[in-house]
Amino acid sequence: MGTPGKYTCCIAENEDDHPWGPMHLERGFAPQQSTVTLIATNSMLQVWNYGNHEQLLRAIGDALCFLGSLAILDQAPGTVILGGEHAQVLRASGWSKQRIREFVVAHTARSVAELERAGRLTEPGQPDDETMMHYAMDEPGELLLICAGSAIGALSMVLPGFSMEKHAGRSPTILIDAPGA
């Protein structure tokens, strides 16, 4: 089974209408430099939400930890591509990128009991399995936030990570030399 996101998807970040500034600045590149960031994902999930910023971010967190995802057990880095209207909702909230990452990651949890009932964990049950939580990511820094597209509706895209080894490495961002530059 495959998805075009595994090998053929290219998304241009909307640098002009961005609540926090483009990712290449966050990663230490100069404003005039062009970069590409490589990510590994196992799926592309749409998030359609007309709620406030917290409701939107809860929906995004839920999409990053669905029970059938490879990422829920691997705790692989995830990516959120915010459409224009969702970027506006988050801009209006005044929340920083870091606060958004922390909130989303805090809402990527499933109880150990849920994972056991879904056949994702096969260890014998423990008394605290209903309350013990397992998160899709360990660190807020493992969540990439990108703005792309225009105001097309209250629609964004979530790309749960794909790695066969926990913390296999951060998605690399590399400089692209423009022809004739």
Side-chain angles (χ1 to χ4, degrees):
M1 298 280 225
T3 170
K6 285 187 176 178
Y7 59 94
T8 63
C9 187
C10 182
I11 300 164
E13 193 167 15
N14 183 344
E15 295 183 19
D16 297 328
D17 189 25
H18 203 298
W20 317 282
M23 185 168 47
H24 75 285
L25 297 180
E26 181 180 1
R27 293 213 162 167
F29 292 90
Q32 71 279 10
Q33 291 180 307
S34 291
T35 64
V36 63
T37 300
L38 306 174
I39 63 168
T41 184
N42 65 58
S43 60
M44 302 171 88
L45 303 167
Q46 292 181 348
V47 174
W48 194 270
N49 187 288
Y50 283 100
N52 65 35
H53 65 283
E54 288 190 17
Q55 292 165 329
L56 167 62
L57 297 174
R58 285 177 196 275
I60 288 170
D62 181 68
L64 285 165
C65 69
F66 70 98
L67 289 172
S69 171
L70 291 170
I72 187 67
L73 296 182
D74 286 344
Q75 293 181 303
T79 303
V80 177
I81 303 167
L82 297 163
E85 290 181 21
H86 283 167
Q88 292 299 328
V89 167
L90 295 176
R91 175 184 286 121
S93 77
W95 283 21
S96 68
K97 227 178 194 182
Q98 182 61 25
R99 185 170 180 192
I100 289 168
R101 284 181 172 132
E102 290 168 358
F103 189 91
V104 169
V105 170
H107 290 88
T108 64
R110 295 288 181 173
S111 73
V112 169
E114 280 182 288
L115 294 168
E116 290 168 349
R117 285 190 291 271
R120 299 306 308 275
L121 295 177
T122 58
E123 296 295 318
Q126 300 297 317
D128 61 350
D129 285 355
E130 290 293 341
T131 57
M132 182 178 289
M133 303 305 284
H134 176 84
Y135 293 84
M137 285 171 261
D138 285 331
E139 300 291 331
E142 294 176 345
L143 181 64
L144 298 180
L145 295 175
I146 300 167
C147 293
S150 62
I152 56 165
L155 180 67
S156 290
M157 189 73 67
V158 170
L159 291 79
F162 178 81
S163 70
M164 299 311 286
E165 182 179 324
K166 186 176 176 183
H167 304 292
R170 180 171 112 170
S171 298
T173 298
I174 55 174
L175 182 63
I176 299 172
D177 291 325

